[in-house]
Amino acid sequence: MKYALVIFETDESRRRIQADRAAYRKEYEGWIGGLAAAGKLAGGEALETERTAPATVRTAADGTSAVTDGPAHAGGETLGGWFIVEVADRAEAIELARSLPTPETVEVRPVLESA
């Protein structure tokens, strides 16, 4: 089964990144390397979160749309990226998310497989 591990930066993770980006990146990349070495990593991408703000497009039922600067959901966490993992079940996906050594929030979502 494939699951998305959706990564949200937190105030604490941003503080650690700003304090020592190289050390933070090494810790994070070690985790990613472990997923890859175990044959669990199927893909993923990081998002730019520091230089360019996101834009949100909302489309109403009548087909009109509105564009606003900023994330779709306001709050202290910022969508930072995602990984796709191939695992036996939801419990294994949760354990992989729990093993992330840095202080992000990880949302675990099953990937919809086409019929």
Side-chain angles (χ1 to χ4, degrees):
M1 300 180 73
K2 287 185 180 176
Y3 280 82
L5 304 183
V6 183
I7 310 295
F8 292 90
E9 293 177 357
T10 63
D11 289 340
E12 178 58 25
S13 68
R14 284 188 289 273
R15 275 192 290 279
R16 286 182 55 188
I17 290 166
Q18 291 167 355
D20 190 344
R21 184 176 301 276
Y24 191 87
R25 189 172 187 111
K26 183 177 180 182
E27 190 174 16
Y28 202 85
E29 288 176 351
W31 177 76
I32 297 165
L35 293 178
K40 302 293 180 186
L41 185 63
E45 294 291 338
L47 299 173
E48 165 54 53
T49 61
E50 293 184 35
R51 292 182 295 274
T52 305
T56 299
V57 178
R58 295 190 191 280
T59 303
D62 66 3
T64 60
S65 62
V67 179
T68 56
D69 286 329
H73 302 284
E77 297 177 328
T78 303
L79 178 61
W82 63 89
F83 296 98
I84 303 297
V85 294
E86 187 118 12
V87 293
D89 54 27
R90 182 176 182 264
E92 184 179 5
I94 290 170
E95 283 307 308
L96 292 178
R98 290 178 62 147
S99 72
L100 178 65
T102 55
E104 281 87 11
T105 298
V106 182
E107 185 173 318
V108 177
R109 292 271 188 143
V111 173
L112 182 62
E113 303 206 22
S114 58

